Amino acid sequence: MIERKNEVEKRKVTTEDRLLHGGDYNPDQWLSYPDVLKQDVEFMKLAHANTFSIGMFAWAALEPEEGVYDFEWLDEVIERIHSIGGRLILATPSGARPAWMSQKYPEVLRVDSYRRKQLHGARHNHCYSSSYYRKKTQEMNTKLAERYGDHPALLMWHPSNEYGGECHCELCQANFRTWLKEKYNHSLDELNHSWWGPFWSHTITDWEQIESPSPIGENAVHGMNLDWRRFVSHMTIDFYKNEIEPLRKITPDIPISANFMSDNPEFVPFTGLDYSQFAKEVDVISWDAYPAWHNDWEDTPTLAARTAFLNDHFYAMKDQPFILMESTPSAVNWHDVNKAKRPGMHLLSALQMHAHGSDSNLYFQWRKSRGSSEKFHGAVIDHDQSTENRVFKEVAELGKIMENISDKVTGYRRQADVAILFDVESNWALDDAQGFGLKTKQYGRTLQKHYQAFWEEDIAVDVISKEHDFSKYTLLVVPMLYLMSEETAEKLQTFVKNGGTLVTSYISGIVDESDLTHLGGWLKPLKETFGMEPLETDTYYPSDRNTLDFNGKEYEVKDYATIIEVNEANVLGTYTEDFYKGTPALTENPYGKGKAYYIGARAEHAFHADFYGKLIRDLKLEPALSVEHERGVSVQGREAEGLRTVFIMNFTESEQPISILETVKDVQTGETMEGKRTLQPYEVLIVEKEIGN
Ligand code: GLA
Ligand code: GLA
Ligand code: GLA
């Protein structure tokens, strides 16, 4: 087993010592309601709120006419927040534009993939190539940084809002071609080879023939689709770098974030951009989390595990605490059904964020809008303007708890011996693949299913990218890595050779970084590491089933089954049906100092639970605290400087008996405890234990 450092240092991501509680505050919607603005500050105190993000959609209020600026209203709001000891996450307003700008400079408007110029409206829809928009955002951000850079309340920058989407205008087409020329060394031969040009006579003979993918044009060249996704990420990050330039220059000590998100409503890793690249440019990772609690298609523990997975993804991006930039204290307004959190769920879901590395609970939004599309989205202050309703009271209660636990959570680190690999490029290529089951690929969801087996055993996991250092993990799980370069295959081989345990699955290692299939069977490093080779992927109709026989038990298989040729590997499991009945479905290969497992089929959850359960015991992986409990209780912790803070969370609708097998102390009351207890529905215990050297 790889040695773990006993003492980790705190890693505070802002200068604030407290956990941050508060959220998006949009006073610019209420400037003609002075009483409301005064009430906001009174209620902030009552809610135990201390941090507010302001200005993400305030461009029209900050620059009502071209070149005419008005910061006075913002000065006042900032002073009010400062007067109660509050801190400020100042947004830049590029997520939405004032109408005068679109009217006068239409180049800021996006063109969609059908080549339709968009009209002014909505938000998150600027052209990232527009030099006017780039200049204008720099001007605005210079003014904000000069005016507020020295303000003692300023904690962090929040550039724009949820970057995403793509533009197909002429400026972007030209930039795409330039980007391609650089990538392919100005050689159309190289480009045509990567894009498999001769297919359907799609050979490019002049750079000007290249047009971004379109439903009414080119959409069948997978290498190009993949390059386009990379280019969109590149341009978005480039726009971001341009936008933050004045902030870096004028306020070098103020950290800069950018609120990331999940793919919604599926609630799986975001695929609009390559966050693994974007993360390199931000100082603090933050994200907006909107799980659909109490839905009718999955139980609460399953959704809790998926939420935990996403948190562990954002934590691992920089191996440091992150900020939960947005969440709702009750319901959202954009799920199919917008159900309010049941009593207790707000506390539970918010504390889960802390357990997995968040140093904040921030909401969208502080006060519910009176008009327009978000007027029914959950907020801390409702239209009743009361502090007596259930939502406000639960928010205030959480605020108090956060104050109590702040010094034993803020800056505390997560420690994981297990990593699951998510690769957005593989996700793009797999989604594009015309093959397998078009509806059953579900890469993100599949990763979450593998993850759930660890979550149920309270084993901490990092959700990493292919660029991470693998060597610090004992176990690396790499399901469905469809796109795999030789470089990644070699990196995986080295990991096993040096003692790591590696698991991969069906539909892995099929295409290279250009989305060209590997020739000559599976990649050599993979054949060597796994001691076997996948020969054929069988894809099932929805009602088809097979069975995987493993360790004397039978597990249901659906969607995918790989037919395997074994060389040196040991066969751990076999199929019980079909023309490959009795052939290997699960293999294990000792290689170098480590071991490599191949899971050939998509099996039911019980298989993951038993298979990973066995690995957890074989590898002696341990939870943050030993607690006996039933499914649905989750135990996760953070630590620093010899102390571990552990959250014991009941994600079920019933009482849960638990047994704590070590002596711990309640963080809030100081009470010592050990042994049996009962957790109420949605109850959370927060305990601490000293960890020795
Ligand atoms: C049609 C076309 C072929 C090929 C096949 C694939 O028959 O003529 O070019 O695309 O479909 O099934
Ligand atoms: C997308 C985003 C969410 C939210 C909704 C609002 O789905 O991912 O965070 O902004 O839009 O419509
Ligand atoms: C996103 C956006 C917010 C708001 C919420 C609603 O996260 O960033 O502005 O629209 O969704 O859920």
Side-chain angles (χ1 to χ4, degrees), residues 123 162 261-262 264 288 290 334:
R123 61 172 178 175
E162 292 189 335
M261 49 186 158
S262 50
N264 293 323
D288 302 342
Y290 293 105
W334 50 270

Side-chain angles (χ1 to χ4, degrees), residues 232-241 274 277-278 281:
V232 168
S233 263
H234 161 80
M235 282 309 289
T236 306
I237 296 168
D238 191 67
F239 180 89
Y240 172 81
K241 281 157 79 174
D274 186 345
Q277 301 308 311
F278 205 155
E281 307 299 332

Side-chain angles (χ1 to χ4, degrees), residues 444-487:
R445 195 70 192 82
T446 301
L447 297 189
Q448 289 178 328
K449 286 185 174 159
H450 285 254
Y451 174 93
Q452 190 169 340
F454 296 96
W455 183 84
E456 286 174 358
E457 299 240 18
D458 304 326
I459 301 299
V461 173
D462 281 345
V463 179
I464 62 171
S465 81
K466 60 179 182 281
E467 287 184 15
H468 273 80
D469 173 13
F470 298 161
S471 71
K472 64 183 218 186
Y473 300 104
T474 306
L475 172 60
L476 176 59
V477 181
V478 186
M480 289 186 89
L481 193 61
Y482 166 72
L483 180 155
M484 204 193 290
S485 64
E486 291 227 28
E487 191 191 341

Side-chain angles (χ1 to χ4, degrees), residues 24 26 29 363-369 374 377-380:
D24 281 21
N26 296 299
Q29 293 176 23
Y363 309 112
F364 178 85
Q365 58 180 332
W366 171 250
R367 182 184 285 271
K368 226 175 230 189
S369 305
E374 289 184 327
H377 192 289
V380 180

